[in-house]
Amino acid sequence: KRGTLEAYKQTFLVPAKLTDRRAVYLSRDTQERADFVVRDWEQGANLSSFVERIVRAHLEDYADETEEWRKL
């Protein structure tokens, strides 16, 4: 079990203040699916914040591994 909807919202759907931004491209299908989650599940959330939080969570989850792999 991955958790509750409320935990998911608190992790990924809280608006983030993004400074010094850069463009990231997604396929149309991925963008539409992600936009559906953001638009339908939480007022005030936006796709940029959603993607930022997903990438940060991934980088945190794999921090130890990526540090080891970097040394190879």
Side-chain angles (χ1 to χ4, degrees):
K1 185 175 178 179
R2 294 183 183 236
T4 65
L5 176 58
E6 195 56 40
Y8 184 88
K9 287 180 178 183
Q10 288 298 314
T11 302
F12 298 114
L13 296 177
V14 175
K17 179 76 172 169
L18 302 177
T19 58
D20 195 26
R21 300 179 296 173
R22 301 283 179 120
V24 173
Y25 297 97
L26 302 172
S27 69
R28 181 181 304 271
D29 180 60
T30 299
Q31 187 274 332
E32 288 173 353
R33 291 173 64 192
D35 197 44
F36 174 80
V37 169
V38 172
R39 185 179 57 246
D40 287 0
W41 290 358
E42 191 63 35
Q43 292 285 330
N46 61 64
L47 188 56
S48 294
S49 292
F50 183 59
V51 171
E52 174 78 10
R53 292 188 182 279
I54 287 172
V55 171
R56 282 182 179 254
H58 174 83
L59 293 172
E60 288 173 16
D61 287 348
Y62 284 91
D64 294 339
E65 290 88 343
T66 56
E67 184 61 25
E68 286 298 316
W69 297 332
R70 185 183 66 80
K71 295 174 186 176
L72 295 179

